[in-house]
């Protein structure tokens, strides 16, 4: 086991001056780096959105003509609308909790790779 190092008065002053200098220099540099990162992220996000706008004519599902036709009040298959009974029945999933079976297998000592 290593003995803890003991600093004399000079050593303590050196360490505190070094730490204070590091804080004075490091904090502004950290703020500049953080601002540069935010700028890069903003540029990347802007380029992705502009490329998306150029490549895809339909960017929102509610603007898709096939979806509009599907939910059309007169001729659509899902006439009752996006929140209607038929659309809920066909398009929504249901959750079934199966964790009890996994827990019982683990209790028996069976290792699962999940």
């Amino acid at each position: 086991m290593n003995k803890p190092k003991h600093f004399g008065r000079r050593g303590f002053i050196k360490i505190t001056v070094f730490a204070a200098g590091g804080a004075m220099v490091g904090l502004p540099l950290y703020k500049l780096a953080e601002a540069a990162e935010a700028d890069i992220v903003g540029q990347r996000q802007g380029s992705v959105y502009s490329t998306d706008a150029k490549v895809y004519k339909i960017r929102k599902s509610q603007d898709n003509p096939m979806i509009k036709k599907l939910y059309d009040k007169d001729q659509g298959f899902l006439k009752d609308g996006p929140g209607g009974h038929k659309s809920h029945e066909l398009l929504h999933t249901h959750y079934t909790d199966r964790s009890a079976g996994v827990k019982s297998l683990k209790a028996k000592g069976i290792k699962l790779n999940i």
Side-chain angles (χ1 to χ4, degrees), residues 58-114:
I58 303 168
R59 296 175 58 202
K60 299 181 218 167
S61 60
Q62 63 265 27
D63 295 339
N64 188 332
M66 298 297 283
I67 299 295
K68 288 181 179 181
K69 189 174 183 180
L70 184 69
Y71 286 113
D72 184 42
K73 299 271 188 222
D74 298 325
Q75 300 174 3
F77 182 71
L78 301 172
K79 295 177 188 176
D80 54 354
H85 177 72
K86 188 72 166 176
S87 61
H88 180 78
E89 181 183 321
L90 295 174
L91 302 174
H92 289 80
T93 59
H94 302 280
Y95 175 74
T96 304
D97 185 13
R98 294 187 173 92
S99 62
V102 173
K103 288 177 186 174
S104 68
L105 290 174
K106 285 184 178 181
K108 291 178 184 176
I110 297 172
K111 292 185 179 181
L112 302 171
N113 293 330
I114 51 173

Side-chain angles (χ1 to χ4, degrees), residues 16-34:
T16 54
V17 168
F18 180 75
M24 286 173 30
V25 172
L27 187 60
L29 289 177
Y30 174 75
K31 288 181 180 178
L32 286 173
E34 192 175 57

Side-chain angles (χ1 to χ4, degrees), residues 12-56:
F12 178 75
I13 291 172
K14 284 180 186 178
I15 290 173
T16 54
V17 168
F18 180 75
M24 286 173 30
V25 172
L27 187 60
L29 289 177
Y30 174 75
K31 288 181 180 178
L32 286 173
E34 192 175 57
E37 181 184 358
D39 186 42
I40 290 170
V41 169
Q43 288 175 357
R44 173 73 178 138
Q45 193 176 32
S47 70
V48 167
Y49 284 131
S50 66
T51 303
D52 240 14
K54 291 175 190 172
V55 173
Y56 301 108

